[in-house]
Amino acid sequence: MSASSRFLALTACCSLLALGSALAPSSADAAEVNVYSGRKDHLMKPLLDSFTAKTGIEVKLLSAKEEQLLERLVQEGADSPADVLITTDVARLRQAQDAGVLQATSSEALAKAIPAKYRDPQGYWYGLSARARVIFYAKDRVKPADLSTYEALADSKWKGKICVRSSSSVYNQSLLASIIAADGKDKASSWVKGIVGNMARAPQGGDRDQIQAVAAGECDIAIANTYYYAGMITSDKAEERDAAAKVALFWPNQNDRGAHVNVSGAGVTKAAKHSAEALKLIEFLASPEAQKIYAEGNGEFPVVESVPSSDVIKSWGTFKAESINVAAIGAQVPEAVKLFDKEGWR
């Protein structure tokens, strides 16, 4: 299977049928909006309920894995009931854009609220929350002074000391895409080879599992998204809080391009029957009210600069983030997948 086929991997027919028919086509003049969401319901429901309470527009929500939602949109074509697609990463947004299931839109409110680097230049999608993918280290075994950049993790001094999830993780794909954009394909390929050589174990589990592995002594370094760490710090599970207490966060590349920052985001579908309501929903998700829910409810960075981060995130201090438009990162993801395959990061 080619890298591009892998990236656009088709889910089985039964998986699509399992999504059910939660969203049925309805009158185009109805005050409603139909949402396909790859984000967890516990985050989206408060946001969508607040939107309905404020506007009177009913929201019909279908949540599933993003690969399934994209395949469903492709198969449904112009008959899709979906008006809005919500995803967790710029790679998914770009994937949907390339598949032709999103339409370009224009909104003065979104252009004003969301920094240019967090939205598609043509208006196919808009970032709604941000997260950094950074380095986590064991407080008792690693000195912060020994850390510097993502690139430096490929040094042999970290041999057998790094935990990271598989290359199928869209978060890792976007991280590598950012390294390609910054350093070029050859240096990025060498970085992948170096990380593979420094892995403490075969890639496995999610981001929380990498942080917990550091806490348990299976490795000294992990790469993970900040909002998972925030969730562990505030978790109602003692074992997650204990693990987080043994691990610290390090902001990479502070003397050059800055730490890698990605977005969750949304776009209006090409098949939208309620495009005005769809755009109104996305505008609401970029409002201070909704941005506060992203910050406080999920430990993410608001994309609206006037909205403060949560107290947990503030406790980590300020940092320099990448200035590159995340759309440029999304464009490099297919190449990132090829490099992962080439260098054996499974």
Side-chain angles (χ1 to χ4, degrees):
M1 181 182 290
S2 69
S4 59
S5 296
R6 175 183 170 188
F7 187 57
L8 289 167
L10 300 180
T11 52
C13 180
C14 59
S15 296
L16 291 172
L17 292 174
L19 290 174
S21 55
L23 301 181
S26 57
S27 170
D29 60 0
E32 67 179 41
V33 60
N34 296 327
V35 176
Y36 281 6
S37 173
R39 303 220 65 180
K40 300 293 186 182
D41 281 2
H42 73 82
L43 172 65
M44 296 311 303
K45 284 293 289 179
L47 289 162
L48 301 180
D49 289 347
S50 182
F51 171 73
T52 297
K54 186 172 183 177
T55 66
I57 299 173
E58 180 185 0
V59 179
K60 294 183 178 179
L61 176 65
L62 176 61
S63 300
K65 292 183 177 180
E66 290 163 312
E67 305 96 308
Q68 293 175 318
L69 293 174
L70 177 57
E71 176 58 16
R72 181 167 177 144
L73 281 167
V74 170
Q75 290 197 3
E76 290 171 338
D79 295 326
S80 177
D83 301 306
V84 174
L85 175 67
I86 297 175
T87 76
T88 61
D89 189 278
V90 69
R92 299 297 191 203
L93 293 166
R94 179 61 186 241
Q95 186 180 4
Q97 181 180 347
D98 289 346
V101 299
L102 299 180
Q103 62 173 284
T105 58
S106 177
S107 165
E108 289 185 13
L110 291 173
K112 181 178 180 180
I114 302 173
K117 69 177 181 177
Y118 293 145
R119 48 186 164 87
D120 177 62
Q122 296 176 289
Y124 279 95
W125 49 261
Y126 300 88
L128 296 173
S129 63
R131 67 287 294 273
R133 190 159 189 79
V134 299
I135 298 170
F136 294 90
Y137 64 92
K139 292 179 180 178
D140 62 344
R141 301 189 300 279
V142 176
K143 296 178 181 179
D146 292 334
L147 299 168
S148 57
T149 65
Y150 298 106
E151 290 84 348
L153 293 181
D155 190 283
S156 60
K157 75 176 183 179
W158 299 113
K159 187 173 182 64
K161 295 183 178 182
I162 295 177
C163 284
V164 65
R165 63 195 293 178
S166 75
S167 63
S168 65
S169 163
V170 71
Y171 306 137
N172 281 342
Q173 291 170 6
S174 290
L175 173 61
L176 179 55
S178 75
I179 294 174
I180 294 171
D183 300 336
K185 184 173 68 173
D186 291 344
K187 289 184 178 179
S189 182
S190 296
W191 181 78
V192 174
K193 185 175 182 179
I195 296 296
V196 170
N198 288 343
M199 290 180 182
R201 63 181 188 183
Q204 57 190 269
D207 278 19
R208 283 187 177 88
D209 296 307
Q210 314 314 313
I211 295 171
Q212 289 172 327
V214 172
E218 295 180 46
C219 46
D220 291 348
I221 299 289
I223 300 173
N225 283 352
T226 48
Y227 70 97
Y228 288 109
Y229 184 51
M232 293 176 69
I233 290 171
T234 59
S235 176
D236 57 3
K237 298 178 181 179
E239 61 269 26
E240 288 195 349
R241 297 195 304 274
D242 292 344
K246 297 176 181 178
V247 176
L249 175 157
F250 182 84
W251 302 111
N253 296 78
Q254 294 303 281
N255 292 324
D256 45 63
R257 69 178 183 277
H260 170 57
V261 174
N262 210 319
V263 294
S264 72
V268 178
T269 68
K270 189 173 183 179
K273 311 302 188 298
H274 309 93
S275 55
E277 290 85 353
L279 193 56
K280 187 173 290 187
L281 172 59
I282 297 174
E283 289 173 343
F284 170 78
L285 294 175
S287 69
E289 175 185 349
Q291 289 287 298
K292 184 176 180 181
I293 293 175
Y294 278 116
E296 299 293 340
N298 209 45
E300 295 179 277
F301 300 99
V303 293
V304 177
E305 294 174 345
S306 61
V307 178
S309 296
S310 69
D311 289 341
V312 170
I313 288 179
K314 288 179 183 177
S315 72
W316 302 336
T318 59
F319 71 101
K320 178 182 178 182
E322 289 174 324
S323 60
I324 186 174
N325 189 308
V326 292
I329 294 173
Q332 295 292 340
V333 168
E335 186 63 42
V337 173
K338 292 178 183 178
L339 293 187
F340 279 134
D341 286 345
K342 173 188 173 186
E343 301 298 347
W345 185 329
R346 304 305 181 199

